[in-house]
Amino acid sequence: MDVSKQKLVIIDTGCANLASVRMAFERLGVQPLVSSQAADIEQADKLILPGVGTAVAAMKNLNERGLVPLIRAAKQPLLGFCLGMQMLAEASEESMGTDDSSERLIECLGIVPGKIRQMEVGNLRLPHMGWNQIEHDETHPLLKGIPSSSYFYFVHSYALEVTEATLATCDYGQPFTAIVGGVAEHSNFFGAQFHPERSGAAGARLLQNFLEL
C-alpha cells in the first residue's frame, strides 16, 4: 500500500501535544486523523498512541474515553511515543501525586512485558532531557536505515526496564528500553521512549519505517 494512502489514526488520549505529532506525519506525505472514536480506531491501517504527562492522568483519560479495550484489541501496527510507550507496559511506579509521598504501581495496558520505574541516574539530572544515543542490533525493520548509536530526543524521568521485548536501549545512569516491540499475540505493538517527532532525520526515518511495516 502507498503509505500516503494509509489511514493513520492518532489516538486522542487527552494528554498529548497532538499538533507536533500530526505535522511530523504530514511532512512524510500522510494526512493523519486525530480521533478517540471507536470506529476510526478500528478501521485504521496504523495507530499512534502519544502521551505527555503522568501515567496516572494518562490511564485515567484512557479509561474515561473507553479506549483501553480498543487499544488492547488492536490488530494493526501501533506505535506509542514517550508516555504513550510507557502506557503499553504492565504497570508504572510513577507517583500518584497526592500528599502521601509513597508510590504504588499503577496498572497500565499490559501489552508489553516489564514495568515503568523511576530512573536511577546517580549524580545525573532528572528529567533525562536532551539528545542521547540508542543501541540496537540493526536487524528489526522498524530500525531500518538507522545505525546503532544514532541520536534521539528524550524528555522523561521514568523508563521501561530492559526486557525480552526491548528492541533498542539507551543509557542514562543505567540502561533502559528506548524502543520496545510486543511479543506473541501483541507483535503489532511498538513503543519509543523518545520523541520521534522532535528527533530530526533519525526520528523521521523511524516514522517512515513504521508506515512501511
Side-chain angles (χ1 to χ4, degrees):
M1 178 188 291
D2 182 346
V3 296
S4 66
K5 297 178 180 178
Q6 288 188 24
K7 184 177 181 181
L8 176 69
V9 172
I10 300 172
I11 300 173
D12 186 358
T13 62
C15 57
N17 179 7
L18 300 177
S20 61
V21 177
R22 185 182 68 248
M23 288 188 291
F25 283 104
E26 289 175 348
R27 289 193 291 269
L28 297 175
V30 177
Q31 297 298 318
L33 173 66
V34 177
S35 178
S36 60
Q37 299 301 309
D40 293 329
I41 293 170
E42 291 167 350
Q43 294 167 15
D45 296 311
K46 301 278 172 59
L47 295 168
I48 298 296
L49 182 66
V52 176
T54 67
V56 177
M59 289 307 301
K60 180 175 183 288
N61 283 0
L62 291 187
N63 279 296
E64 288 179 349
R65 295 179 180 218
L67 293 172
V68 170
L70 282 173
I71 295 169
R72 286 176 173 160
K75 299 303 180 187
Q76 61 272 74
L78 179 150
L79 176 63
F81 295 177
C82 195
L83 181 61
M85 168 184 149
Q86 294 183 9
M87 288 188 285
L88 298 178
E90 296 169 4
S92 173
E93 68 175 18
E94 193 167 1
S95 173
M96 296 294 290
T98 64
D99 293 335
D100 181 358
S101 62
S102 64
E103 294 181 334
R104 66 181 179 87
L105 289 178
I106 303 151
E107 182 182 2
C108 295
L109 292 166
I111 290 168
V112 300
K115 296 179 176 61
I116 305 301
R117 308 285 189 187
Q118 185 169 24
M119 300 173 73
E120 297 181 6
V121 300
N123 293 325
L124 300 174
R125 292 183 178 179
L126 276 181
H128 172 214
M129 182 168 62
W131 295 88
N132 205 343
Q133 293 171 287
I134 69 167
E135 305 296 335
H136 61 97
D137 64 9
E138 303 189 3
T139 62
H140 198 281
L142 186 62
L143 287 152
K144 179 178 64 175
I146 301 173
S148 187
S149 298
S150 294
Y151 282 87
F152 290 86
Y153 189 81
F154 293 82
V155 183
H156 63 120
S157 297
Y158 291 78
L160 178 64
E161 56 199 351
V162 177
T163 75
E164 69 272 19
T166 298
L167 300 179
T169 62
C170 182
D171 194 291
Y172 189 73
Q174 64 180 18
F176 64 88
T177 294
I179 301 177
V180 68
V183 296
E185 71 272 19
H186 293 139
S187 61
N188 55 307
F189 287 86
F190 303 93
Q193 178 59 66
F194 47 82
H195 285 272
E197 77 280 13
R198 298 174 65 183
S199 295
R205 182 58 188 263
L206 184 88
L207 298 183
Q208 182 70 39
N209 289 345
F210 174 71
L211 292 172
E212 295 175 357
L213 289 178

